[in-house]
Amino acid sequence: MSDELQRIMAIDDPYLLLREVTTRLAEAQQEVTELARLRRRVVQDLHAQGLSYAQIAAKAGLSRGRIHQIRHTGPAPEGAFLGSGAVTVATPLRRDDERGRTVVAVDDVSSGKRLEDLARSYGLDVTSEHVPVSGEIDLNRDGLVVVCGPRMSQDMWNTYAQDPVLRWEKAEGGPWTVVDRLTGTVYRSGQDSDPARPYDVGYLGRLPRPDGKGSLLAIAGIHTQGSLGVVQLLASELNSLWGQVGDRRFSTLVGVEYDPETSEPRSVELVCPLYRHDEETAG
């Protein structure tokens, strides 16, 4: 019996006991989910290296049937791309100066809801919150996924500035763009072209937290349709993204063709490489 379990069992106050047991059960369930994810990932990695299930079983002291079961059941390893155990999805609030009230953009709501559904499908616990109109948000937390561009939050502007390759820019009186420092390519939204067209660019990156003790996943479009496109890419290509960057820091850009009536993505594709920041910094 663990020390933590003994501590909980010794609590006399029934209400405190109920609260402590509920909290510990939630933590234990998260641990079980992540251990199962890790176990499946190890089996998949060994199998990908050329080992048969029988060989893995023999070396691990388990049956071949058990190894095969582990390989095909439990939470998929690529869910760790979004976080471990639990994630918080944050989307921005906006100020409607004309009506004098705080609002949320429909596309931001859709992006947040689809991210929450995606995370739950990988066995992650999910909570949601908003980046307030002030833009102030505590970024020093584990499992944070923030759908918010640099225009909406100084805290996120500072975070995006840590990207060694892709830089957000805005000329005086002009539209927002993203610049690839390695190639010099400037990425613009079709909304800001003449003539305008239903095309946007979305940013996806895992960037350092301000306290340097971890990372957060950052998503932003030049316009809101770009964020929707990034979320669609995550939903369809998470396994591939995980295989290429794992849980390391990176950034990339997504081109999004969308329906001008509904803002729904019609097609999405990477328009630049998946830049791994450890490699770019070293280079």
Side-chain angles (χ1 to χ4, degrees):
M1 185 181 297
S2 69
D3 292 341
E4 177 66 5
L5 182 54
Q6 289 180 340
R7 180 191 70 79
I8 292 174
M9 292 179 67
I11 296 174
D12 292 327
D13 184 333
Y15 302 106
L16 176 59
L17 176 61
L18 180 60
R19 185 167 64 248
E20 289 286 328
V21 169
T22 301
T23 300
R24 182 65 189 120
L25 273 173
E27 293 172 348
Q29 288 167 355
Q30 287 184 6
E31 290 175 6
V32 168
T33 298
E34 291 310 311
L35 286 171
R37 192 190 313 279
L38 178 59
R39 182 175 62 176
R40 181 174 173 182
R41 174 183 172 186
V42 172
V43 171
Q44 289 185 189
D45 288 348
L46 290 172
H47 190 57
Q49 293 169 21
L51 277 72
S52 68
Y53 292 137
Q55 289 173 316
I56 298 171
K59 290 180 178 293
L62 299 170
S63 70
R64 183 182 183 280
R66 184 62 173 140
I67 293 298
H68 192 272
Q69 180 188 43
I70 291 170
R71 168 64 179 84
H72 293 94
T73 59
E78 59 266 27
F81 185 93
L82 301 171
S84 176
V87 299
T88 299
V89 177
T91 53
L93 294 174
R94 300 167 185 267
R95 180 67 181 174
D96 185 339
D97 292 327
E98 188 173 311
R99 294 179 174 83
R101 63 182 183 180
T102 300
V103 299
V104 292
V106 172
D107 292 347
D108 289 336
V109 172
S110 297
S111 292
K113 179 63 167 59
R114 292 171 192 182
L115 280 170
E116 293 171 29
D117 291 344
L118 180 63
R120 289 191 183 98
S121 73
Y122 284 98
L124 297 164
D125 289 340
V126 182
T127 57
S128 63
E129 65 180 55
H130 290 299
V131 180
V133 174
S134 68
E136 297 177 356
I137 178 173
D138 177 12
L139 300 176
N140 296 322
R141 293 176 282 165
D142 294 334
L144 195 59
V145 182
V146 185
V147 184
C148 182
R151 180 175 70 87
M152 306 295 295
S153 166
Q154 183 65 45
D155 290 336
M156 287 305 297
W157 168 265
N158 296 339
T159 300
Y160 286 116
Q162 303 305 307
D163 189 320
V165 184
L166 301 174
R167 181 177 66 237
W168 288 87
E169 289 188 352
K170 186 181 187 303
E172 184 69 29
W176 282 92
T177 60
V178 186
V179 179
D180 186 322
R181 303 184 193 190
L182 293 184
T183 66
T185 305
V186 179
Y187 294 91
R188 297 179 172 85
S189 172
Q191 292 187 37
D192 304 319
S193 303
D194 189 13
R197 64 189 183 98
Y199 174 83
D200 201 40
V201 175
Y203 175 103
L204 170 65
R206 184 174 292 114
L207 301 172
R209 292 173 7 183
D211 63 3
K213 297 180 179 179
S215 302
L216 60 93
L217 200 63
I219 296 171
I222 294 179
H223 297 286
T224 56
Q225 293 87 348
S227 299
L228 276 173
V230 171
V231 175
Q232 177 161 309
L233 183 81
L234 288 173
S236 60
E237 301 291 338
L238 195 64
N239 184 52
S240 175
L241 293 169
W242 170 254
Q244 295 178 73
V245 300
D247 58 5
R248 295 179 290 273
R249 291 173 184 168
F250 76 96
S251 58
T252 192
L253 297 175
V254 179
V256 185
E257 299 278 357
Y258 61 88
D259 185 321
E261 299 297 324
T262 65
S263 292
E264 286 295 319
R266 287 176 169 169
S267 66
V268 297
E269 64 176 354
L270 295 182
V271 294
C272 74
L274 278 163
Y275 290 119
R276 280 178 45 179
H277 293 174
D278 53 357
E279 294 178 350
E280 301 307 326
T281 303

